[in-house]
Amino acid sequence: MLRAFRSIARLVRAARVLGRHDALFPLELREEMPGVLLMLMPLAKIRLPWEAAPERTGDAGERLATALAALGPAYIKLGQFLATRPDIIGDALAEDLRSLQDRLPPFGMGEARAIIEEGLGKPLGEVFREISSPIAAASIAQVHKARTKPAHENEEERDVAVKVLRPGIEQRFARDLESFFWVAEQIERHYAPARRLRPVEVAGTLADSVKLEMDLRLEAAAMSEMAENIAKDKGFRVPKIDWERTARRVMTMEWIEGIPASDRAALVAAGHDMHRLGMQVIQSFLLHAMRDGFFHADMHQGNLFVDEAGNLVAVDFGIMGRIGPNERRFMAEILYGLVQRDYVRVAEVHFEAGYVPQSKNIHAFAQALRSVAEPIFGRPARDVSMGKLLAQLFQVTEQFDMRTRPELLLLQKTMVVVEGVARHFDPDHNIWESAEPVLKSWMMERMGPEARIEEAAAGALQLGRVMANLPEVLDRAERTARLLAESVDEEGVRIHPASAEAIARAQEARSPWRHPAFWAAIGAAGALILTKLF
């Protein structure tokens, strides 16, 4: 009950802010609203004497973005998160909410100094020779430029970027997230039409994302992992982490000297090849997603720089995406099949992946895919969107009872963003031509003969582990037989019937000869032997 009262009080305040910005009951949506909500409109728009009159300008999405910015960090993060889910809120509203990137004013240097000193356990002067006022401020943290003070003789002074969490941000987010969960539960419980939007799941995903962003050591670890993955790649890099000057609420990294990717005019003036940059951002993203299964999931222009050598440098690793080996293979085959216009193969992959129930007709599904993709081909390159094509394909698959795949939605969302960056660099960029060599190379590497041999070897190794345990299994069987022999009298073995039945079931379940993994290993070993022979 106390949780409900707290949540209601916070939500009343939020509703009043949204109402005064005409974002709670937007004119564009009033025909679709229940009458009880429309009755509350006058209450939400009441302005108290000390409150400034808001500017009700722009469309519904713009007004909502302004209201969320006024509500503070948690609501800004909510807006940023919803901007990644056009499948739920629609493309137009998602586009408006993407403006919520760096809307908050910075906090004071005194507070920043206290957080840094507490996190690193040292006076600021022992760690940094100098530190600037904030150069960027977002909903969760702000960034300062600093120069390190060497901690030992072999260390040189370096320019670094220092990211600092906002004071009290964890407690504020915890309170607001409690309210988000409460209202999501009420909506899902009492308003059936909204259940398809999965409000509780949306709140849970937002909460998980925020938890990761509240510990800057985790962001540093993500940067370090990606740096290892791309160590041999060209054209894309990430800043190096200064682990000695990083803690839960403070992160120090290499300072990047470069031109923001958002400043196209400056990039052109500096002589950078805009077509190559467009190709680089697409191919880098696909390489990270398909090869590594680990990708930057917020790779918009504001999080990218171009250094003097023409490398793309990514920052802000608070939102990362992961996809498993199977999902990578399925997605690569789907994309490559679309490039080749092989709709039957694309349909087969959906069925093999289990995305579409086996009860559906594969040829009917291929026909549906063709109806979406075929009108796109033959159009000018600048009019062909890979991300939007995937979104349309996912909409078609809903007609065939395809279950929502959250990891694929994040991949799709990032692909739309990256595609926008590529078109920002080069408006005539052909997304498909950039993607094809990466997809083709990945498939040849992962699905060619050498990859099959590796899979067979892995299966043989599993078989070896099973066989290595065989002596122990036989030894246990011998001991069991001896014990049973000692338990036999003239009337036979003295075991309760229920116990005997339980032992039989357990022995049957444990038998390696009945375990699917055992036969999979046998098959892999056979494949390996055949490969070696022929």
Side-chain angles (χ1 to χ4, degrees):
M1 184 63 70
L2 184 59
R3 172 174 176 257
F5 282 127
R6 288 197 305 263
S7 299
I8 290 172
R10 297 186 196 115
L11 292 169
V12 166
R13 171 184 171 272
R16 295 192 67 256
V17 173
L18 291 167
R20 289 188 296 109
H21 286 81
D22 200 18
L24 183 62
F25 307 105
L27 180 63
E28 298 87 337
L29 303 177
R30 284 175 193 169
E31 291 183 0
E32 304 175 14
M33 290 183 181
V36 66
L37 290 181
L38 296 177
M39 292 174 60
L40 298 175
M41 286 178 56
L43 295 176
K45 292 187 176 183
I46 294 175
R47 181 165 64 92
L48 300 177
W50 57 84
E51 294 176 333
E55 296 182 7
R56 296 192 180 99
T57 58
D59 60 23
E62 292 172 343
R63 297 196 304 273
L64 177 59
T66 302
L68 293 177
L71 283 168
Y75 286 86
I76 290 178
K77 178 58 63 177
L78 174 63
Q80 292 173 346
F81 173 76
L82 290 175
T84 70
R85 298 298 302 269
D87 58 304
I88 291 178
I89 65 175
D91 292 334
L93 185 55
E95 183 64 32
D96 288 331
L97 292 180
R98 290 192 187 108
S99 66
L100 289 169
Q101 289 302 329
D102 296 319
R103 282 290 193 94
L104 287 184
F107 54 91
M109 282 299 297
E111 292 175 301
R113 175 187 293 271
I115 293 172
I116 294 172
E117 290 181 341
E118 180 183 2
L120 302 183
K122 297 178 181 179
L124 189 68
E126 293 184 13
V127 184
F128 301 111
R129 191 170 298 284
E130 57 186 42
I131 186 168
S132 74
S133 56
I135 59 173
S139 59
I140 288 179
Q142 66 185 30
V143 178
H144 304 255
K145 183 178 181 179
R147 189 161 185 83
T148 60
K149 186 173 184 179
H152 47 77
E153 293 182 359
N154 296 328
E155 185 180 7
E156 297 180 355
E157 293 186 5
R158 294 171 289 111
D159 287 334
V160 293
V162 183
K163 187 172 183 177
V164 186
L165 284 184
R166 286 185 172 274
I169 194 71
E170 298 95 335
Q171 295 79 9
R172 186 165 184 178
F173 264 99
R175 292 193 299 267
D176 287 336
L177 285 172
E178 180 184 60
S179 302
F180 294 166
F181 270 110
W182 184 84
V183 73
E185 291 166 3
Q186 304 312 306
I187 291 173
E188 198 159 292
R189 183 178 304 162
H190 301 295
Y191 189 54
R195 288 173 190 162
R196 66 180 182 83
L197 302 179
R198 306 180 303 280
V200 173
E201 181 183 331
V202 169
T205 306
L206 174 63
D208 291 341
S209 171
V210 167
K211 287 177 183 176
L212 293 177
E213 293 188 72
M214 291 297 172
D215 190 337
L216 295 179
R217 294 170 299 186
L218 297 179
E219 181 177 346
M223 295 175 69
S224 176
E225 181 178 351
M226 178 164 280
E228 290 182 3
N229 291 343
I230 67 172
K232 297 181 181 180
D233 296 348
K234 295 181 180 179
F236 189 97
R237 69 185 186 92
V238 301
K240 296 178 181 178
I241 291 295
D242 185 340
W243 287 104
E244 293 183 4
R245 296 174 176 85
T246 294
R248 185 175 65 85
R249 308 191 77 234
V250 182
M251 181 175 69
T252 304
M253 73 196 89
E254 170 192 2
W255 177 260
I256 300 300
E257 289 290 351
I259 300 173
S262 57
D263 194 345
R264 190 178 187 281
L267 292 170
V268 172
H272 289 292
D273 185 339
M274 304 307 289
H275 176 74
R276 186 194 65 79
L277 287 176
M279 182 176 294
Q280 184 68 58
V281 71
I282 292 291
Q283 294 186 346
S284 294
F285 163 69
L286 287 175
L287 195 62
H288 302 161
M290 299 304 170
R291 181 192 65 190
D292 307 325
F294 186 59
F295 58 93
H296 193 305
D298 198 22
M299 215 158 75
H300 57 77
Q301 291 97 318
N303 286 337
L304 289 172
F305 292 84
V306 180
D307 65 16
E308 188 177 1
N311 297 308
L312 285 172
V313 187
V315 297
D316 196 349
F317 284 67
I319 304 176
M320 303 298 294
R322 289 189 188 272
I323 51 176
N326 288 336
E327 285 74 20
R328 283 183 254 167
R329 179 171 69 84
F330 295 141
M331 185 55 65
E333 285 206 68
I334 289 170
L335 289 174
Y336 190 66
L338 291 174
V339 171
Q340 299 297 315
R341 301 165 81 170
D342 187 350
Y343 305 114
V344 173
R345 180 55 192 153
V346 175
E348 291 173 348
V349 173
H350 278 80
F351 278 76
E352 291 171 8
Y355 297 161
V356 178
Q358 295 295 325
S359 59
K360 300 299 179 180
N361 186 293
I362 191 169
H363 295 289
F365 184 56
Q367 181 179 350
L369 296 177
R370 178 183 292 272
S371 71
V372 171
E374 199 62 25
I376 291 178
F377 293 102
R379 296 171 60 186
R382 67 185 301 162
D383 295 336
V384 178
S385 168
M386 182 189 300
K388 290 181 179 178
L389 174 59
L390 279 180
Q392 291 176 2
L393 289 177
F394 288 155
Q395 290 175 3
V396 166
T397 56
E398 289 179 3
Q399 301 172 12
F400 289 81
D401 297 332
M402 175 177 169
R403 295 181 61 187
T404 299
R405 307 287 300 193
E407 72 279 7
L408 298 185
L409 287 174
L410 184 59
L411 184 74
Q412 172 211 334
K413 164 260 174 183
T414 309
M415 190 173 293
V416 172
V417 172
V418 170
E419 186 177 45
V421 176
R423 291 270 166 79
H424 167 75
F425 288 144
D426 179 13
D428 294 317
H429 191 82
N430 190 320
I431 305 299
W432 298 96
E433 288 182 3
S434 296
E436 182 174 11
V438 176
L439 297 170
K440 186 176 182 179
S441 174
W442 188 90
M443 290 180 65
M444 290 179 64
E445 178 182 348
R446 296 295 176 181
M447 304 181 69
E450 292 183 4
R452 298 302 186 191
I453 292 175
E454 289 180 4
E455 291 178 3
L461 182 62
Q462 179 65 26
L463 174 62
R465 294 193 184 101
V466 173
M467 299 304 291
N469 292 327
L470 189 57
E472 182 181 350
V473 172
L474 293 175
D475 183 57
R476 284 203 303 267
E478 182 182 355
R479 290 199 304 270
T480 302
R482 189 182 305 115
L483 289 172
L484 287 173
E486 294 172 356
S487 302
V488 173
D489 57 16
E490 295 179 355
E491 297 181 357
V493 180
R494 298 188 301 272
I495 298 179
H496 192 279
S499 299
E501 184 179 351
I503 291 172
R505 287 198 305 268
Q507 192 68 18
E508 183 181 23
R510 292 176 183 172
S511 174
W513 311 104
R514 295 183 61 85
H515 200 287
F518 179 83
W519 293 108
I522 290 290
L528 178 62
I529 292 169
L530 290 173
T531 303
K532 294 296 185 182
L533 290 176
F534 299 102

